Amino acid sequence: MAQKLLVIDTDCGIDDAQAIMMALAAREVRILGITCCFGNTSVENVCRNTLRVLSVCDRTEIPVFQGASSCLVKTPNCPIDHFGSDGLGDVLEDEDPDLWKSQVQTEHAVNALIRLVSKNQGKVSLVALGPLTNLALAVKLDPEFPKKLKNLYIMGGNMEGKGNKTVCGEFNFIMDPESAYIVLEEFICPTYIASWEFTCRNKLPWDFFDALINQDTPAARFMRKITSKCSIFSPTTVTRKDVLFGPGFVSYDSYAMAAAIDFSIVKEYIECPVHVELQGVLGRGMMALDDGKFLPKKHNVVVFKACDLIKFRKLLTKSLQLPQTQ
Ligand SMILES: [Ca+2]
C-alpha cells in the first residue's frame, strides 16, 4: 500500500507531542518533515520539544525546521503557558540544552514547506497543529502553494463562538488571527478543521488517560512524565472546557492528526464556507461558519462534528507504543 505523505506544522506542546507520536506510529503515513512555529512556547523551545519527541521514538531521521517566531501583526495578549513555560510541562532536563541547535535543519520552515510540497505535488497532506503563521507566509511566498497540497488538516478555530483564550477566540487562531484569516481565505485545497468545541465535545474519560500513559513503553513513560506536573492533566482541575462540556481528557491536536491518518474517525461533519473575524472587541480571531450561505465566498471546508471514539482511542493507544521494534 502506498504511504500517505505528511508534513506536520507544530507549536509542540504536550498535545502536539501526542499527535506527532500518533503519526509516527501509523505505518500508513510517511512524515516528510516537521515545521515549527511559535505558540505554546517560543519557536526555539518548539524545535527542541519536537526533536525530544523524535528522539524518544527513535525517529530522528525526520527533518525538523525552525519557522515563525511571532505572529504577523499584533502580539497576542494572552498567556502561552498552557503546558508550562517550555511547552512540555517544565520537567525535562537535557544533558546538553543546546544540542537541538545542531539537530535542527538550517533551511527555514517556510522554505521547507514550499520545497517539500512542490516536490510532491498533489500528494502531501499538511497537518497544522499551531498558529498558522508558517502557512500564511508560505502562500505569500508561493501563491501556488495551496494548489500543490493534497489537503490541509487544521486543529483550531471554533464553531459555536466559544473561546478558550478570549470570549470568542480559540488559542491557535487568537495567537495569529491574520494568519488564520489568510489561510482560510487563500488555501483553496480540500480543508478539514477540528475546532476547539469539536475536540471538547469528543473528550475521553480520565481512566482512559491513566491506562494510556501507564503503558510500559518509552513513549508512554515520556508522556507520563511531561503530564505529571501539569495541572490541566489532573481530573481535579476544573477549566472552562469542563464547565462547558463536562469533565474529561482532551488531546486537542490529536483529532486533526487522527483524521489525516484515517478519515473514517470523522462520523459527522458540516461542509460550508468559514470566515475568520479580524475586527471587534470580542470577535477577533473567531471562526464563523457560513452554513446559511449569506456571503459570496464559495469555497467550502469540512468542519468536524462527531468522532468515532473507539477508533480514536485505538490510535491514541498505539501512538504511545513507541519506539516500534522493527
Ligand atoms: Ca498545538
Side-chain angles (χ1 to χ4, degrees):
M1 189 179 70
Q3 285 182 305
K4 293 183 188 177
L5 303 184
L6 235 61
V7 173
I8 303 170
D9 188 77
T10 180
D11 63 332
C12 198
I14 291 177
D15 61 329
D16 301 73
Q18 176 80 64
I20 291 168
M21 287 174 173
M22 189 181 273
L24 296 172
R27 293 190 190 273
E28 58 270 49
V29 305
R30 181 153 66 88
I31 304 170
L32 297 178
I34 303 181
T35 53
C36 298
C37 180
F38 81 99
N40 283 309
T41 181
S42 68
V43 69
E44 290 82 5
N45 281 342
V46 170
C47 293
R48 184 164 64 158
N49 292 346
T50 303
L51 287 157
R52 282 162 158 168
V53 172
L54 293 179
S55 169
V56 168
C57 301
D58 268 348
R59 295 295 301 276
T60 48
E61 82 282 3
I62 295 171
V64 175
F65 304 89
Q66 184 169 343
S69 58
S70 66
C71 57
L72 294 187
V73 183
K74 285 191 235 170
T75 307
N77 183 23
C78 63
I80 57 167
D81 56 354
H82 199 57
F83 301 119
S85 63
D86 76 346
L88 292 184
D90 291 330
V91 289
L92 300 174
E93 279 178 34
D94 296 321
E95 263 176 48
D96 176 1
D98 290 329
L99 179 66
W100 70 272
K101 292 178 187 169
S102 62
Q103 296 172 320
V104 76
Q105 303 292 312
T106 51
E107 185 182 16
H108 192 277
V110 178
N111 293 331
L113 277 174
I114 294 169
R115 177 178 58 79
L116 291 168
V117 170
S118 300
K119 238 171 77 181
N120 299 280
Q121 286 201 31
K123 292 183 186 161
V124 177
S125 296
L126 177 54
V127 186
L129 307 177
L132 295 170
T133 320
N134 286 336
L135 279 67
L137 291 169
V139 72
K140 292 304 173 191
L141 283 182
D142 177 4
E144 301 296 307
F145 179 73
K147 278 192 221 156
K148 297 176 188 170
L149 284 170
K150 181 179 179 197
N151 45 35
L152 168 63
Y153 292 83
I154 297 172
M155 189 281 134
N158 38 16
M159 59 196 292
E160 302 171 13
K162 297 182 176 76
N164 61 347
K165 280 293 154 191
T166 63
V167 176
C168 303
E170 177 278 332
F171 180 83
N172 284 341
F173 279 29
I174 204 74
M175 291 302 280
D176 190 350
E178 278 73 17
S179 286
Y181 175 92
I182 290 167
V183 169
L184 291 178
E185 291 300 316
E186 298 187 29
F187 278 60
I188 40 116
C189 55
T191 300
Y192 303 89
I193 301 179
S195 70
W196 183 65
E197 297 99 330
F198 163 79
T199 63
C200 294
R201 289 196 184 282
N202 289 282
K203 62 192 181 293
L204 290 168
W206 282 108
D207 58 359
F208 171 76
F209 175 72
D210 287 340
L212 178 69
I213 62 167
N214 282 302
Q215 300 181 86
D216 185 20
T217 63
R221 280 192 283 278
F222 180 76
M223 191 55 66
R224 192 156 71 235
K225 185 167 186 184
I226 62 179
T227 53
S228 62
K229 299 248 167 70
C230 195
S231 64
I232 57 163
F233 288 96
S234 161
T236 55
T237 304
V238 178
T239 64
R240 177 167 161 77
K241 158 182 80 63
D242 302 295
V243 173
L244 289 173
F245 304 101
F249 149 66
V250 182
S251 180
Y252 304 97
D253 290 337
S254 301
Y255 293 85
M257 184 61 80
I261 294 167
D262 176 7
F263 191 72
S264 73
I265 73 132
V266 181
K267 286 203 304 190
E268 216 182 307
Y269 56 81
I270 302 166
E271 236 180 322
C272 66
V274 296
H275 301 268
V276 177
E277 181 62 86
L278 292 179
Q279 310 300 325
V281 176
L282 303 176
R284 182 167 158 76
M286 181 176 80
M287 183 170 82
L289 275 57
D290 186 15
D291 46 358
K293 306 280 165 86
F294 292 104
L295 297 167
K297 185 172 168 181
K298 292 273 189 296
H299 179 60
N300 285 342
V301 304
V302 173
V303 183
F304 303 160
K305 268 191 83 178
C307 178
D308 183 329
L309 290 176
I310 295 170
K311 283 187 181 172
F312 185 61
R313 281 184 194 221
K314 280 187 189 160
L315 283 174
L316 281 173
T317 301
K318 204 172 120 194
S319 69
L320 295 192
Q321 292 167 354
L322 294 170
Q324 278 157 346
T325 44
Q326 50 165 16

